[in-house]
Amino acid sequence: MKDGKIQIGFIGCGGIAFNKHFPSLKDLPELCEMVAFCDIIEERAVQAAREFGVEGAKVYTDYHEMLKNPEVDLVHVLTPNVVHCPATVAAFEAGKHVMCEKPMAHNTEAAKMMMDAWKKSGKKFTIGYQNRFRQEVQALYKSCQEGELGDIYFAKAHAIRRRAVPTWGVFPNKALQGGGPLIDIGTHALDMTLWTMDNYKPKSATGSVFYKLGHLPEAAESNIFGPWDPKTYEVEDSAFGYVKMENGATIYLESSWALNMLGAKEAATTLCGTKAGAEIRSGMSVTDKEDKLVYNRGHHGKLTEEHFSPGGAVAYFSGKKMTEGVLEAKQWLEAIKNDREPLVKPEQAFVVTQILDAIYQSAATGKEVFFE
């Protein structure tokens, strides 16, 4: 560290970097400095260094060269999914802490390599699941920890968009991303569901993956981000999974970028327990005026609904109101400085990748996939 501030280098200076990581870290000048920026498109790294870097911030086009920089304490890996593994492994081998954007990897084999490299390094490791820092998700997690829902035996992880295919970056490119909505937004919904349930022991998964609308010009025309190119669209447009846990609980995971279905639910979850149920509502069809967390239960012989107010006192940190990105970054940097575990543990993110990979495998083979 330099003057008590963590020195950060970045591998990848694309949309997630400019929209989440750079502005979030800029709000935490007491904890960190952004000193190195790497991207295969040099202009992006130059722009990032100019807008967010310290004076004299270094620019690279080869992350191996950046990792030789002894000033860099921490690396944020913000690349397409298939690069997560080699970049993370190289960073650990260079003795750096690593924050990797979600998902951990595009398949289980790559995720295991990352886990092995982390364990050998003795450094800190986390994955970018910022939805855990939303007020309603924090509140639901605490409710589950205190046993208010009882035994949670059925859940739904929602990541449904009606027509919202991302038309920027490399999202439709299977070779670079490894998949479509399942691995992109389904991963957030699954992480929220597993975390609030506090259940990371899957037994088996069955999946269905559809390539129905991605190649239809008439479907692309109504996309809210503008029409995608049906000729170059390579990934699934929707995917669904049925996961059985070792304790008998079941999770249904639904994901889509394009689906003829009313009502979008994204980064949302539904939990059903023996004492009560809870639903987190989110997505493009949910307005800020609607309640984002609703509990349901029987009370004095009546079925009741209890609504969580976003203005309630869910304490994160003192000071000004922070976005989920800033809260995520602050917690992560403080975990490094104070030698604590980050909120998003690598072991948890690994299970998310395992389940997503199993759903893809099941869809490809038509068979239920069992976990070892």
Side-chain angles (χ1 to χ4, degrees):
M1 296 185 196
K2 183 179 179 181
D3 298 326
K5 299 180 181 181
I6 298 170
Q7 308 294 288
I8 308 178
F10 301 88
I11 301 177
C13 299
I16 196 68
F18 275 92
N19 292 313
K20 173 188 168 185
H21 291 266
F22 295 160
S24 296
L25 292 164
K26 186 177 181 180
D27 275 359
L28 300 169
E30 72 281 6
L31 290 174
C32 67
E33 292 180 337
M34 293 177 266
V35 299
F37 300 83
C38 178
D39 197 283
I40 58 174
I41 300 175
E42 188 174 14
E43 291 79 6
R44 289 180 181 172
V46 170
Q47 179 186 356
R50 182 175 62 249
E51 294 184 12
F52 297 98
V54 298
E55 185 177 353
K58 300 293 193 300
V59 170
Y60 302 85
T61 55
D62 182 344
Y63 67 77
H64 295 96
E65 291 301 313
M66 189 190 82
L67 293 175
K68 295 177 183 178
N69 186 339
E71 294 183 0
V72 175
D73 305 310
L74 162 64
V75 170
H76 280 215
V77 176
L78 313 176
T79 66
N81 296 338
V82 298
V83 187
H84 286 184
C85 176
T88 296
V89 170
F92 281 131
E93 290 176 344
K96 316 296 185 183
H97 303 290
V98 177
M99 145 71 86
C100 179
E101 252 305 325
K102 60 79 189 167
M104 176 181 282
H106 65 291
N107 61 34
T108 303
E109 181 182 5
K112 188 177 186 307
M113 292 174 64
M114 296 164 73
M115 293 290 286
D116 290 343
W118 162 59
K119 291 174 182 177
K120 291 178 183 177
S121 73
K123 297 297 180 177
K124 301 292 184 187
F125 186 24
T126 196
I127 305 298
Y129 285 117
Q130 73 275 2
N131 284 288
R132 292 194 190 187
F133 294 87
R134 287 160 43 194
Q135 286 191 14
E136 65 271 27
V137 178
Q138 288 272 327
L140 179 56
Y141 175 77
K142 292 174 183 176
S143 295
C144 294
Q145 287 290 297
E146 293 172 4
E148 292 182 21
L149 272 61
D151 176 23
I152 303 170
Y153 57 91
F154 179 69
K156 291 183 179 180
H158 310 280
I160 293 292
R161 297 178 183 175
R162 186 181 179 190
R163 287 291 191 284
V165 174
T167 52
W168 58 91
V170 297
F171 283 101
N173 186 323
K174 193 167 187 176
L176 290 176
Q177 286 295 93
L182 180 63
I183 200 171
D184 176 44
I185 56 177
T187 189
H188 276 302
L190 181 58
D191 175 71
M192 286 172 52
T193 302
L194 295 173
W195 185 59
T196 51
M197 292 175 70
D198 194 20
N199 190 342
Y200 288 92
K201 295 183 177 180
K203 180 180 179 181
S204 68
T206 305
S208 295
V209 174
F210 295 103
Y211 299 80
K212 298 291 187 180
L213 304 184
H215 300 293
L216 297 180
E218 59 269 30
E221 291 173 356
S222 53
N223 193 48
I224 68 170
F225 298 126
W228 67 85
D229 186 353
K231 295 179 181 178
T232 60
Y233 190 92
E234 300 175 346
V235 296
E236 81 275 3
D237 40 69
S238 61
F240 307 87
Y242 186 82
V243 185
K244 297 177 183 177
M245 310 302 283
E246 287 184 2
N247 70 345
T250 298
I251 299 172
Y252 169 66
L253 170 59
E254 56 181 10
S255 66
S256 71
W257 282 342
L259 186 68
N260 288 322
M261 181 177 179
L262 294 174
K265 279 189 176 182
E266 185 177 341
T269 189
T270 300
L271 305 182
C272 302
T274 52
K275 293 182 179 179
E279 180 178 341
I280 285 182
R281 298 173 178 175
S282 182
M284 297 174 183
S285 67
V286 179
T287 69
D288 289 337
K289 295 180 180 179
E290 295 179 271
D291 293 315
K292 300 297 176 67
L293 172 58
V294 180
Y295 295 94
N296 68 86
R297 69 187 85 210
H299 188 65
H300 296 314
K302 299 289 185 179
L303 294 177
T304 64
E305 292 184 6
E306 301 166 26
H307 295 252
F308 169 80
S309 170
V314 180
Y316 297 99
F317 306 99
S318 60
K320 67 180 182 178
K321 183 178 179 180
M322 299 182 183
T323 65
E324 289 83 10
V326 176
L327 290 169
E328 175 188 52
K330 189 174 191 296
Q331 174 274 150
W332 164 234
L333 295 174
E334 289 179 341
I336 294 173
K337 287 196 71 171
N338 300 317
D339 194 20
R340 298 195 302 251
E341 281 193 319
L343 182 67
V344 181
K345 299 176 178 60
E347 300 92 332
Q348 298 169 337
F350 179 75
V351 174
V352 175
T353 295
Q354 278 187 303
I355 292 175
L356 297 176
D357 194 15
I359 292 172
Y360 279 126
Q361 290 181 36
S362 173
T365 62
K367 299 178 180 179
E368 185 174 11
V369 174
F370 289 87
F371 298 91
E372 297 179 359

